[in-house]
Short mmCIF file of all heavy atoms in Angstrom, two decimals:
data_model
loop_
_atom_site.label_atom_id
_atom_site.label_comp_id
_atom_site.label_asym_id
_atom_site.label_seq_id
_atom_site.Cartn_x
_atom_site.Cartn_y
_atom_site.Cartn_z
N MET O 1 -37.53 36.35 -8.88
CA MET O 1 -36.52 35.27 -8.81
C MET O 1 -36.58 34.65 -7.42
O MET O 1 -36.75 35.34 -6.43
CB MET O 1 -35.13 35.86 -9.06
CG MET O 1 -34.07 34.87 -8.90
SD MET O 1 -32.64 35.27 -9.95
CE MET O 1 -31.53 34.06 -9.33
N ALA O 2 -36.45 33.40 -7.38
CA ALA O 2 -36.47 32.63 -6.09
C ALA O 2 -35.28 32.99 -5.28
O ALA O 2 -34.16 33.28 -5.76
CB ALA O 2 -36.51 31.15 -6.37
N ASP O 3 -35.50 32.98 -3.98
CA ASP O 3 -34.43 33.29 -3.05
C ASP O 3 -33.35 32.18 -3.07
O ASP O 3 -33.71 31.02 -3.25
CB ASP O 3 -35.07 33.36 -1.63
CG ASP O 3 -34.07 33.86 -0.64
OD1 ASP O 3 -33.39 33.02 -0.05
OD2 ASP O 3 -33.97 35.08 -0.44
N HIS O 4 -32.13 32.60 -2.95
CA HIS O 4 -31.00 31.67 -2.90
C HIS O 4 -31.16 30.54 -1.88
O HIS O 4 -30.84 29.40 -2.19
CB HIS O 4 -29.72 32.44 -2.64
CG HIS O 4 -28.48 31.68 -2.65
ND1 HIS O 4 -27.96 31.07 -3.79
CD2 HIS O 4 -27.65 31.27 -1.67
CE1 HIS O 4 -26.88 30.44 -3.52
NE2 HIS O 4 -26.65 30.50 -2.20
N ASP O 5 -31.69 30.89 -0.68
CA ASP O 5 -31.85 29.87 0.37
C ASP O 5 -32.87 28.83 -0.08
O ASP O 5 -32.72 27.65 0.25
CB ASP O 5 -32.34 30.50 1.64
CG ASP O 5 -31.25 31.23 2.43
OD1 ASP O 5 -30.12 30.70 2.44
OD2 ASP O 5 -31.50 32.31 2.88
N ARG O 6 -33.87 29.22 -0.85
CA ARG O 6 -34.93 28.24 -1.24
C ARG O 6 -34.30 27.29 -2.25
O ARG O 6 -34.61 26.04 -2.23
CB ARG O 6 -36.09 29.01 -1.83
CG ARG O 6 -36.80 29.77 -0.73
CD ARG O 6 -38.08 30.40 -1.23
NE ARG O 6 -39.06 29.25 -1.15
CZ ARG O 6 -40.30 29.48 -1.29
NH1 ARG O 6 -40.83 30.65 -1.55
NH2 ARG O 6 -41.13 28.45 -1.20
N ILE O 7 -33.48 27.78 -3.13
CA ILE O 7 -32.89 26.94 -4.17
C ILE O 7 -31.92 25.92 -3.48
O ILE O 7 -31.95 24.75 -3.80
CB ILE O 7 -32.15 27.74 -5.19
CG1 ILE O 7 -33.17 28.56 -6.01
CG2 ILE O 7 -31.31 26.88 -6.17
CD1 ILE O 7 -32.54 29.65 -6.89
N GLU O 8 -31.07 26.44 -2.61
CA GLU O 8 -30.14 25.57 -1.94
C GLU O 8 -30.84 24.55 -1.07
O GLU O 8 -30.46 23.41 -1.02
CB GLU O 8 -29.14 26.35 -1.04
CG GLU O 8 -28.01 26.97 -1.85
CD GLU O 8 -26.98 27.62 -0.88
OE1 GLU O 8 -27.02 27.32 0.36
OE2 GLU O 8 -26.13 28.34 -1.38
N GLY O 9 -31.89 25.00 -0.38
CA GLY O 9 -32.66 24.13 0.45
C GLY O 9 -33.25 22.98 -0.30
O GLY O 9 -33.26 21.75 0.07
N ALA O 10 -33.83 23.31 -1.42
CA ALA O 10 -34.47 22.28 -2.32
C ALA O 10 -33.42 21.29 -2.78
O ALA O 10 -33.69 20.08 -2.88
CB ALA O 10 -35.21 22.89 -3.49
N ALA O 11 -32.27 21.81 -3.22
CA ALA O 11 -31.23 20.90 -3.67
C ALA O 11 -30.71 19.96 -2.55
O ALA O 11 -30.51 18.78 -2.77
CB ALA O 11 -30.03 21.74 -4.19
N LYS O 12 -30.57 20.51 -1.41
CA LYS O 12 -30.11 19.71 -0.26
C LYS O 12 -31.15 18.64 0.09
O LYS O 12 -30.84 17.54 0.44
CB LYS O 12 -29.82 20.61 0.97
CG LYS O 12 -29.19 19.83 2.13
CD LYS O 12 -28.64 20.77 3.14
CE LYS O 12 -27.42 21.36 2.56
NZ LYS O 12 -26.40 21.87 3.54
N ASN O 13 -32.41 19.03 0.00
CA ASN O 13 -33.48 18.05 0.30
C ASN O 13 -33.42 16.89 -0.68
O ASN O 13 -33.55 15.72 -0.35
CB ASN O 13 -34.84 18.78 0.26
CG ASN O 13 -36.00 17.93 0.68
OD1 ASN O 13 -35.81 16.87 1.27
ND2 ASN O 13 -37.20 18.32 0.33
N MET O 14 -33.28 17.25 -1.98
CA MET O 14 -33.20 16.15 -3.02
C MET O 14 -32.00 15.28 -2.84
O MET O 14 -32.08 14.07 -2.96
CB MET O 14 -33.21 16.84 -4.39
CG MET O 14 -34.57 17.39 -4.84
SD MET O 14 -35.91 16.19 -4.80
CE MET O 14 -35.37 15.07 -6.06
N GLY O 15 -30.89 15.96 -2.52
CA GLY O 15 -29.67 15.15 -2.29
C GLY O 15 -29.82 14.23 -1.13
O GLY O 15 -29.34 13.08 -1.13
N GLY O 16 -30.52 14.66 -0.11
CA GLY O 16 -30.78 13.86 1.07
C GLY O 16 -31.65 12.69 0.75
O GLY O 16 -31.44 11.53 1.25
N LYS O 17 -32.62 12.90 -0.10
CA LYS O 17 -33.50 11.77 -0.56
C LYS O 17 -32.69 10.70 -1.28
O LYS O 17 -32.90 9.53 -1.07
CB LYS O 17 -34.68 12.29 -1.41
CG LYS O 17 -35.68 13.04 -0.62
CD LYS O 17 -36.83 13.52 -1.47
CE LYS O 17 -37.79 14.32 -0.64
NZ LYS O 17 -39.03 14.62 -1.39
N ILE O 18 -31.80 11.16 -2.15
CA ILE O 18 -30.97 10.28 -2.91
C ILE O 18 -30.02 9.47 -2.01
O ILE O 18 -29.86 8.30 -2.09
CB ILE O 18 -30.15 11.04 -3.95
CG1 ILE O 18 -31.12 11.52 -5.10
CG2 ILE O 18 -29.08 10.12 -4.60
CD1 ILE O 18 -30.53 12.55 -5.99
N LYS O 19 -29.51 10.24 -1.02
CA LYS O 19 -28.54 9.57 -0.07
C LYS O 19 -29.24 8.56 0.78
O LYS O 19 -28.75 7.46 1.00
CB LYS O 19 -27.90 10.66 0.76
CG LYS O 19 -26.73 10.18 1.63
CD LYS O 19 -26.18 11.26 2.51
CE LYS O 19 -25.26 12.22 1.79
NZ LYS O 19 -24.58 13.16 2.75
N GLU O 20 -30.45 8.86 1.21
CA GLU O 20 -31.22 7.96 2.01
C GLU O 20 -31.57 6.71 1.22
O GLU O 20 -31.48 5.54 1.70
CB GLU O 20 -32.49 8.63 2.53
CG GLU O 20 -33.35 7.68 3.40
CD GLU O 20 -34.65 8.33 3.84
OE1 GLU O 20 -35.02 9.41 3.34
OE2 GLU O 20 -35.23 7.72 4.74
N ALA O 21 -31.96 6.88 -0.06
CA ALA O 21 -32.30 5.78 -0.88
C ALA O 21 -31.08 4.87 -1.09
O ALA O 21 -31.21 3.63 -1.06
CB ALA O 21 -32.87 6.25 -2.26
N ALA O 22 -29.89 5.51 -1.35
CA ALA O 22 -28.71 4.74 -1.53
C ALA O 22 -28.37 3.92 -0.27
O ALA O 22 -27.96 2.75 -0.36
CB ALA O 22 -27.54 5.63 -1.90
N GLY O 23 -28.57 4.53 0.89
CA GLY O 23 -28.33 3.79 2.16
C GLY O 23 -29.31 2.65 2.32
O GLY O 23 -28.92 1.58 2.83
N ARG O 24 -30.53 2.86 1.90
CA ARG O 24 -31.55 1.79 2.02
C ARG O 24 -31.15 0.61 1.09
O ARG O 24 -31.25 -0.51 1.52
CB ARG O 24 -32.87 2.37 1.62
CG ARG O 24 -34.05 1.46 2.06
CD ARG O 24 -35.45 2.05 1.75
NE ARG O 24 -35.53 3.41 2.15
CZ ARG O 24 -35.87 4.42 1.30
NH1 ARG O 24 -36.15 4.20 0.07
NH2 ARG O 24 -35.97 5.68 1.74
N VAL O 25 -30.71 0.88 -0.13
CA VAL O 25 -30.36 -0.12 -1.03
C VAL O 25 -29.12 -0.90 -0.61
O VAL O 25 -29.08 -2.10 -0.74
CB VAL O 25 -30.11 0.52 -2.48
CG1 VAL O 25 -29.49 -0.53 -3.41
CG2 VAL O 25 -31.40 0.99 -3.09
N THR O 26 -28.16 -0.22 -0.06
CA THR O 26 -26.93 -0.86 0.36
C THR O 26 -26.97 -1.40 1.78
O THR O 26 -26.07 -2.10 2.21
CB THR O 26 -25.71 0.10 0.23
OG1 THR O 26 -25.93 1.21 1.10
CG2 THR O 26 -25.53 0.62 -1.14
N GLY O 27 -28.03 -1.04 2.53
CA GLY O 27 -28.12 -1.48 3.89
C GLY O 27 -27.26 -0.65 4.85
O GLY O 27 -27.01 -1.14 5.94
N ASP O 28 -26.84 0.51 4.43
CA ASP O 28 -25.94 1.39 5.20
C ASP O 28 -26.81 2.30 6.08
O ASP O 28 -27.34 3.30 5.58
CB ASP O 28 -25.04 2.20 4.28
CG ASP O 28 -23.98 2.99 4.98
OD1 ASP O 28 -24.11 3.24 6.19
OD2 ASP O 28 -22.98 3.36 4.36
N GLU O 29 -26.96 1.97 7.33
CA GLU O 29 -27.79 2.79 8.21
C GLU O 29 -27.27 4.24 8.43
O GLU O 29 -28.00 5.19 8.55
CB GLU O 29 -27.92 2.05 9.57
CG GLU O 29 -28.71 0.82 9.53
CD GLU O 29 -30.14 1.02 9.08
OE1 GLU O 29 -30.81 2.00 9.46
OE2 GLU O 29 -30.63 0.18 8.25
N LYS O 30 -25.94 4.33 8.46
CA LYS O 30 -25.32 5.67 8.65
C LYS O 30 -25.67 6.56 7.42
O LYS O 30 -26.01 7.71 7.61
CB LYS O 30 -23.83 5.56 8.76
CG LYS O 30 -23.16 6.84 9.01
CD LYS O 30 -21.65 6.76 9.14
CE LYS O 30 -21.00 8.11 9.25
NZ LYS O 30 -19.57 8.10 8.98
N LEU O 31 -25.59 6.01 6.22
CA LEU O 31 -25.90 6.79 5.01
C LEU O 31 -27.38 7.17 5.02
O LEU O 31 -27.75 8.33 4.62
CB LEU O 31 -25.59 6.00 3.80
CG LEU O 31 -25.61 6.71 2.47
CD1 LEU O 31 -24.68 7.87 2.44
CD2 LEU O 31 -25.28 5.75 1.33
N LYS O 32 -28.25 6.25 5.41
CA LYS O 32 -29.70 6.58 5.52
C LYS O 32 -29.94 7.71 6.51
O LYS O 32 -30.71 8.64 6.20
CB LYS O 32 -30.51 5.34 5.94
CG LYS O 32 -30.77 4.34 4.84
CD LYS O 32 -31.47 3.08 5.27
CE LYS O 32 -32.43 3.13 6.39
NZ LYS O 32 -33.03 1.81 6.72
N ALA O 33 -29.30 7.71 7.62
CA ALA O 33 -29.46 8.72 8.63
C ALA O 33 -28.97 10.07 8.14
O ALA O 33 -29.55 11.13 8.34
CB ALA O 33 -28.76 8.32 9.95
N GLU O 34 -27.80 10.05 7.46
CA GLU O 34 -27.28 11.29 6.91
C GLU O 34 -28.22 11.86 5.87
O GLU O 34 -28.47 13.08 5.79
CB GLU O 34 -25.91 10.97 6.24
CG GLU O 34 -24.81 10.81 7.21
CD GLU O 34 -23.46 10.43 6.50
OE1 GLU O 34 -23.40 10.43 5.27
OE2 GLU O 34 -22.48 10.12 7.20
N GLY O 35 -28.78 11.02 5.06
CA GLY O 35 -29.82 11.45 4.05
C GLY O 35 -30.97 12.08 4.72
O GLY O 35 -31.47 13.13 4.24
N ARG O 36 -31.52 11.48 5.77
CA ARG O 36 -32.68 12.09 6.46
C ARG O 36 -32.28 13.43 7.09
O ARG O 36 -33.06 14.37 7.05
CB ARG O 36 -33.19 11.13 7.57
CG ARG O 36 -33.98 9.97 6.96
CD ARG O 36 -34.70 9.12 8.03
NE ARG O 36 -33.79 8.51 8.97
CZ ARG O 36 -33.29 7.30 8.86
NH1 ARG O 36 -33.58 6.57 7.76
NH2 ARG O 36 -32.51 6.80 9.74
N ALA O 37 -31.08 13.50 7.66
CA ALA O 37 -30.60 14.77 8.25
C ALA O 37 -30.48 15.86 7.16
O ALA O 37 -30.88 16.99 7.42
CB ALA O 37 -29.30 14.54 8.94
N ASP O 38 -29.97 15.48 6.00
CA ASP O 38 -29.82 16.45 4.92
C ASP O 38 -31.21 16.93 4.47
O ASP O 38 -31.41 18.14 4.15
CB ASP O 38 -29.13 15.85 3.73
CG ASP O 38 -27.62 15.69 3.96
OD1 ASP O 38 -27.07 16.21 4.97
OD2 ASP O 38 -26.96 15.04 3.12
N GLN O 39 -32.19 16.05 4.48
CA GLN O 39 -33.54 16.42 4.08
C GLN O 39 -34.15 17.45 5.08
O GLN O 39 -34.76 18.49 4.65
CB GLN O 39 -34.47 15.21 4.02
CG GLN O 39 -34.17 14.32 2.86
CD GLN O 39 -35.06 13.13 2.86
OE1 GLN O 39 -36.28 13.22 2.82
NE2 GLN O 39 -34.45 11.90 2.90
N VAL O 40 -33.92 17.23 6.33
CA VAL O 40 -34.45 18.16 7.39
C VAL O 40 -33.72 19.53 7.24
O VAL O 40 -34.41 20.55 7.25
CB VAL O 40 -34.23 17.58 8.80
CG1 VAL O 40 -34.51 18.64 9.88
CG2 VAL O 40 -35.12 16.34 8.99
N GLU O 41 -32.45 19.44 7.04
CA GLU O 41 -31.69 20.68 6.86
C GLU O 41 -32.16 21.46 5.66
O GLU O 41 -32.32 22.69 5.67
CB GLU O 41 -30.21 20.33 6.73
CG GLU O 41 -29.28 21.51 6.85
CD GLU O 41 -27.80 21.12 6.87
OE1 GLU O 41 -27.52 20.02 7.32
OE2 GLU O 41 -26.99 21.90 6.37
N GLY O 42 -32.41 20.74 4.56
CA GLY O 42 -32.90 21.39 3.35
C GLY O 42 -34.27 22.04 3.52
O GLY O 42 -34.54 23.12 3.05
N LYS O 43 -35.13 21.28 4.21
CA LYS O 43 -36.48 21.84 4.48
C LYS O 43 -36.41 23.08 5.37
O LYS O 43 -37.16 24.02 5.09
CB LYS O 43 -37.35 20.79 5.16
CG LYS O 43 -37.78 19.66 4.20
CD LYS O 43 -38.57 18.56 4.93
CE LYS O 43 -38.83 17.42 4.01
NZ LYS O 43 -39.51 16.35 4.66
N VAL O 44 -35.54 23.07 6.32
CA VAL O 44 -35.39 24.31 7.13
C VAL O 44 -34.87 25.42 6.37
O VAL O 44 -35.37 26.57 6.47
CB VAL O 44 -34.49 23.95 8.39
CG1 VAL O 44 -34.09 25.23 9.10
CG2 VAL O 44 -35.13 23.03 9.35
N GLN O 45 -33.87 25.18 5.54
CA GLN O 45 -33.25 26.24 4.69
C GLN O 45 -34.28 26.80 3.75
O GLN O 45 -34.37 27.95 3.48
CB GLN O 45 -32.08 25.72 3.97
CG GLN O 45 -31.26 26.81 3.28
CD GLN O 45 -29.93 26.32 2.74
OE1 GLN O 45 -29.73 25.10 2.72
NE2 GLN O 45 -29.11 27.20 2.28
N ASN O 46 -35.11 25.97 3.18
CA ASN O 46 -36.21 26.28 2.23
C ASN O 46 -37.22 27.21 3.00
O ASN O 46 -37.65 28.22 2.46
CB ASN O 46 -36.86 25.10 1.66
CG ASN O 46 -37.73 25.43 0.43
OD1 ASN O 46 -38.12 26.54 0.23
ND2 ASN O 46 -38.10 24.39 -0.28
N ALA O 47 -37.57 26.86 4.25
CA ALA O 47 -38.52 27.62 5.00
C ALA O 47 -37.94 29.02 5.31
O ALA O 47 -38.63 29.99 5.24
CB ALA O 47 -38.82 26.87 6.32
N VAL O 48 -36.63 29.08 5.62
CA VAL O 48 -35.98 30.36 5.90
C VAL O 48 -36.05 31.23 4.65
O VAL O 48 -36.41 32.43 4.70
CB VAL O 48 -34.50 30.13 6.34
CG1 VAL O 48 -33.73 31.44 6.28
CG2 VAL O 48 -34.47 29.55 7.66
N GLY O 49 -35.82 30.61 3.49
CA GLY O 49 -36.01 31.43 2.20
C GLY O 49 -37.38 31.86 2.02
O GLY O 49 -37.63 32.97 1.48
N GLY O 50 -38.33 31.05 2.37
CA GLY O 50 -39.78 31.47 2.26
C GLY O 50 -40.08 32.65 3.15
O GLY O 50 -40.79 33.56 2.75
N VAL O 51 -39.52 32.67 4.33
CA VAL O 51 -39.75 33.76 5.27
C VAL O 51 -39.09 35.05 4.71
O VAL O 51 -39.71 36.13 4.72
CB VAL O 51 -39.23 33.45 6.65
CG1 VAL O 51 -39.15 34.69 7.56
CG2 VAL O 51 -40.01 32.34 7.30
N LYS O 52 -37.88 34.87 4.16
CA LYS O 52 -37.19 36.02 3.56
C LYS O 52 -38.04 36.59 2.36
O LYS O 52 -38.16 37.80 2.31
CB LYS O 52 -35.83 35.65 3.02
CG LYS O 52 -34.79 35.42 4.14
CD LYS O 52 -33.44 35.08 3.58
CE LYS O 52 -32.40 34.90 4.56
NZ LYS O 52 -31.10 34.55 3.98
N ASP O 53 -38.58 35.70 1.57
CA ASP O 53 -39.39 36.16 0.45
C ASP O 53 -40.67 36.89 0.95
O ASP O 53 -40.99 37.97 0.43
CB ASP O 53 -39.84 34.94 -0.43
CG ASP O 53 -38.72 34.44 -1.30
OD1 ASP O 53 -37.67 35.10 -1.44
OD2 ASP O 53 -38.92 33.35 -1.87
N ALA O 54 -41.27 36.34 2.00
CA ALA O 54 -42.43 37.03 2.59
C ALA O 54 -42.09 38.41 3.09
O ALA O 54 -42.88 39.33 2.92
CB ALA O 54 -43.06 36.13 3.64
N LEU O 55 -40.97 38.52 3.72
CA LEU O 55 -40.57 39.83 4.27
C LEU O 55 -40.24 40.81 3.15
O LEU O 55 -40.42 41.99 3.36
CB LEU O 55 -39.34 39.66 5.21
CG LEU O 55 -39.67 38.84 6.52
CD1 LEU O 55 -38.39 38.67 7.32
CD2 LEU O 55 -40.66 39.62 7.38
N LYS O 56 -39.73 40.33 2.08
CA LYS O 56 -39.47 41.17 0.96
C LYS O 56 -40.69 41.59 0.18
O LYS O 56 -40.67 42.40 -0.72
CB LYS O 56 -38.48 40.52 -0.05
CG LYS O 56 -37.10 40.35 0.50
CD LYS O 56 -36.24 39.61 -0.50
CE LYS O 56 -34.82 39.32 0.01
NZ LYS O 56 -34.05 38.56 -0.92
N GLY O 57 -41.82 40.89 0.45
CA GLY O 57 -43.09 41.17 -0.19
C GLY O 57 -43.25 40.50 -1.56
O GLY O 57 -44.04 40.88 -2.37
N LYS O 58 -42.58 39.36 -1.69
CA LYS O 58 -42.72 38.57 -2.96
C LYS O 58 -43.97 37.78 -2.98
O LYS O 58 -44.42 37.27 -2.06
CB LYS O 58 -41.53 37.67 -3.17
CG LYS O 58 -40.26 38.46 -3.48
CD LYS O 58 -39.13 37.48 -3.81
CE LYS O 58 -37.89 38.26 -4.28
NZ LYS O 58 -36.82 37.39 -4.53
#
């Protein structure tokens, strides 16, 4: 089973992509920046989950 951090990270990354796209469509620079930040946060969380999986021997 996938690590909880990897699932949450992937979800946050996807949410960030959607938020960034919405900001691009509406011209809202703040929303675009929040979306990009969410994507980075999601990628980091996903990487942490990958490290945890590696340490568990998955």
